[in-house]
Amino acid sequence: MMMENKVYICSTGIISPQANFGKKEDFALASEYTGSSLHCIEPDYKSILDPKLIRRMSRIIRMGAAAALECMVHSEVQQPDGIITGTAYGCVEDTVSFLTKMVENKEELLTPTAFIQSTHNTVGSQIALLLKCHQYNNTFVQRGFSFEHALMDALLLLNENEAKTILVGGIDELNETSEAILKRFGLYRTNQNNLQLLTTSGKGSMAGEGASFFLLSSESSSGNIACLDDLKMLFDPNEETDVVQWIHYCLSENNLTWEQIDLVITGRNGNQQGDLIYDKLEFSIAKKTRFAYFKHLCGEYPTASSFGMWMAVSSIRENKIPFTVTSKTQSGTIRKVLLYNHDQNGHHSLMLFSAC
Amino acid sequence: MDKLMHDLKVQIIAQLNLQDLTPEDIGDDQPLFVEGLGLDSIDALELIVLLQQQYKIKLSSAEEGPKVFRSVKTIAEYITEHKPKV
């Protein structure tokens, strides 16, 4: 989607497997995990959320609410004109709790809380309650495009002047049950070190989770971090070369050459088959720009592109790549960043960011 | 009655996930809703299920709710009065 008006990213709030909650800088040391998954480093929620509300919130709701509030704290905006969330799996913990009780109690004597909180839009609605925001509220549940569609909705509202500020976020949680189910598909490795995930190519990746929120605005302000210039999606292409051609086309549509892109962040996750597309893209532009990766930091999950977006925005703000492990990617200014990610080879997305 | 009230407090804390409270923090006559423990209508549903699960007691009418669930003591009295005879 080409934007008629500029869209600014005012602030970010994130809870992820990295220690980046509440920090605006100093993302030097990446957290290390061994096994098949990466889990979020969570803050002490009692200092962020009302303890009376926390008791009824499952982990994903706490993560989402805390990340959203953190995002608002760092902005100059009191209340957004809308709240839009994207989540593929929704509130897994509450769903598991509700279904387990349903089986154990033979479909009788079901407690209401887990059921009420198990719907995918719970995070968005809890944020609205916390902010006392009675404006537009929507949740997108579209597998690997869940966050992208939330973002697209925000961009449309801003471009059509239906809103001036939108709080948009991507959230997904991983718990014992969901990890066990997803493992059956052969998606994850066992006994893998996350910092070596991208250098030891093989079958599968590592599972992850996270909550990343962004306050978008149609108005220029000195506090804005970056601009979101374009968002594009491609579903289920026939071949890898189609994707690479599509990416080249998107860039030319923005009147840009690869030499003008300071950094390309890709969703490389160590899974040999899925990384083929990233290999082809890198091969075609290797000498023209530099690359960074993020899935060894957050793991693989359907809304992981929201972590990628945080990384792109932070790279522009800090003029360096957060948690980077290679020295060759550290030099030069970062003013234009392209984020390309795909989920399970089916959902491909492209985001273009620039310094304000 | 004292043991029943203590058991009830433990069960209420567990069922409603009142993480920062211990049974000693809840007074026998302390109101559970609004100005007391601050419970709400969802908690009331949880308490109805608790009564059914733990004590096999069903409230005979919804109008009884506010009276029965006023405090731990009133719940204990209702249980004592309505507990199925074995």
Side-chain angles (χ1 to χ4, degrees), chain A residues 46 51-52 54-57 62 101 105 108-114 116, chain B residues 15-20 36-40 42-43 45-46 49 52-53:
Chain A
K46 284 177 192 165
K52 276 186 182 167
I54 290 177
R55 72 183 172 94
R56 209 176 271 157
M57 291 179 175
R62 294 175 193 193
K101 278 180 190 159
N105 297 343
E108 287 183 350
L109 300 176
L110 300 175
T111 55
T113 306
I116 294 166
Chain B
Q15 186 92 357
L16 306 183
N17 197 23
L18 301 167
Q19 293 163 341
D20 292 333
L37 274 188
L39 304 186
D40 58 24
I42 297 173
D43 295 315
L45 291 170
E46 293 278 0
V49 174
Q52 285 184 254
Q53 274 179 336

Side-chain angles (χ1 to χ4, degrees), chain A residues 20 33 66 75 82 94 116 190 206 214 228 239 246 258 264-265 273 275 285 290-291 295 318 351:
Chain A
N20 48 2
Y33 296 82
S75 78
D94 280 314
I116 294 166
T190 52
M206 290 178 84
F214 307 90
L228 175 55
E239 291 177 33
W246 170 70
W258 285 107
V264 176
I265 299 175
Q273 203 183 351
D275 283 353
I285 54 172
R290 56 189 161 148
F291 293 88
K295 287 204 179 146
E318 301 302 317
M351 297 177 206

